[in-house]
Amino acid sequence: MDKKSPEETLLHNTRILADRLPDEDRMLPGGSGQFPSVETLKEVISLIKAVMFPDYFDKQRESSTLRRYFIGVKIEQLYTLLDKEIYHALQFNRNSYPEPQLSAREMALGFINSLPTIKRTLYTDVEAMFNNDPAVDNYGEVILCYPVIQAMVNYRVAHSLLHLGVPIIPRILTELAHSVTGIDIHPGAEIGEYFAIDHGTGVVIGETCIIGNHVTLYQGVTLGAKNFSLDSNGHPVNVPRHPIIEDNVTIYSNSSILGRITVGHDSIIGGNIWLTSSVPPGSRILQQKAVTTGDIGI
């Protein structure tokens, strides 16, 4: 074996890695450019939490004038960061946005206009979680401690940005929450008000899910696709393929609801259920009780 000095080894591999692979060029969206910063998007979420829940993620302001001032400063910071990051995100779809700077500004302002609606809806999620868990003592505990709130802040922000036409950033935001909470919500899912996820680890909500109001999920629930169609080139076709969950439905832990089926309103789906066909309103879907067959030697 030909021995090389550390410097020679480092330089040799640097030259190899600095050369672009054909696949590297092929997979680079938009050809070139600066893409969104994950670290900056974490800062964006921190600012949004301080605006949505100012008494929890920022110092309390007794004076309404001071409160308005400090929230205004954070909203201005939020707009400045989003304007820049959305502009970078538009590099992913360069041909679709002939004036990306103007488009980024309009999208950032559109998002700022959506903040009051996002805030109101997030407080319904807090209310739902408080009402569904006897272990919680007050609303502040839900806001500060429960993973569902972190997941829903990221999801509701990402969903709003997606509707404004912002590429890539919505996926980054929901995956940031996924990595922290174990709750995987695609930003394209439609989720109504008063949404609760207890515990949360392992919950998966697919892109084309439609979820009504007052829905509660427990850990390990999958709202997924049973299968998907392929185009003539063998690529998956993006068509509705995930469940519709109507109002006032509870789905218990580790159940899988798969395909474009409907769970009717006011239904209860028990734990460890595999469901691939629609059920009418008011259904109670439970697995068979365990049967003891004798001494198992424990």
Side-chain angles (χ1 to χ4, degrees), residues 3-278:
K3 291 185 178 180
K4 295 181 179 179
S5 69
E7 293 80 3
E8 289 174 321
T9 299
L10 295 176
L11 288 171
H12 172 72
N13 285 284
T14 297
R15 283 193 293 269
I16 294 173
L17 294 171
D19 291 336
R20 288 187 180 275
L21 295 173
D23 282 344
E24 186 177 356
D25 283 330
R26 179 174 60 84
M27 295 180 183
L28 186 64
S32 63
Q34 186 173 359
F35 299 137
S37 163
V38 173
E39 292 305 314
T40 300
L41 292 175
K42 289 179 182 179
E43 186 178 352
V44 164
I45 289 296
S46 294
L47 286 168
I48 290 170
K49 288 170 70 175
V51 171
M52 299 293 104
F53 306 106
D55 296 328
Y56 294 94
F57 299 100
D58 194 11
K59 294 179 180 178
Q60 292 187 1
R61 314 291 180 185
E62 297 295 334
S63 164
S64 60
T65 302
L66 282 176
R67 177 184 170 100
R68 188 177 300 115
Y69 169 76
F70 280 100
I71 288 178
V73 169
K74 292 186 183 300
I75 288 177
E76 185 176 9
Q77 292 173 333
L78 177 60
Y79 166 71
T80 300
L81 292 178
L82 268 180
D83 184 22
K84 179 180 178 181
E85 295 308 313
I86 292 173
Y87 172 72
H88 292 156
L90 296 182
Q91 304 302 308
F92 277 70
N93 296 76
R94 181 171 301 167
N95 295 331
S96 301
Y97 299 93
E99 297 184 75
Q101 288 183 318
L102 177 60
S103 296
R105 189 176 307 119
E106 291 175 349
M107 290 173 178
L109 288 173
F111 175 76
I112 297 300
N113 280 330
S114 74
L115 286 174
T117 298
I118 293 174
K119 179 175 181 177
R120 184 191 62 77
T121 309
L122 282 171
Y123 275 85
T124 72
D125 299 331
V126 173
E127 183 80 36
M129 196 65 252
F130 179 82
N131 291 335
N132 275 282
D133 190 357
V136 65
D137 292 326
N138 55 68
Y139 294 107
E141 185 177 348
V142 175
I143 293 170
L144 289 170
C145 304
Y146 278 52
V148 62
I149 300 305
Q150 177 68 68
M152 292 309 291
V153 167
N154 286 45
Y155 158 74
R156 295 208 184 276
V157 168
H159 186 71
S160 177
L161 290 170
L162 187 70
H163 272 270
L164 289 166
V166 177
I168 198 62
I169 289 177
R171 288 303 306 271
I172 293 174
L173 294 179
T174 52
E175 289 305 323
L176 284 174
H178 182 197
S179 66
V180 173
T181 66
I183 299 171
D184 182 3
I185 307 177
H186 193 286
E190 300 281 348
I191 301 178
E193 299 178 356
Y194 297 94
F195 181 65
I197 304 176
D198 201 3
H199 305 294
T201 306
V203 166
V204 177
I205 300 175
E207 177 187 15
T208 61
C209 275
I210 300 175
I211 299 174
N213 300 322
H214 298 279
V215 170
T216 299
L217 309 181
Y218 285 79
Q219 68 272 18
V221 167
T222 296
L223 304 180
K226 183 180 178 182
N227 49 45
F228 46 83
S229 303
L230 302 176
D231 63 18
S232 58
N233 296 317
H235 298 140
V237 179
N238 192 3
V239 296
R241 59 198 181 278
H242 299 102
I244 299 170
I245 311 298
E246 294 184 346
D247 296 348
N248 303 306
V249 169
T250 298
I251 305 176
Y252 284 96
S253 58
N254 299 314
S255 284
S256 295
I257 319 297
L258 305 179
R260 193 59 164 185
I261 64 174
T262 299
V263 176
H265 62 80
D266 298 284
S267 292
I268 295 176
I269 309 298
N272 299 300
I273 297 294
W274 179 272
L275 188 64
T276 58
S277 57
S278 295

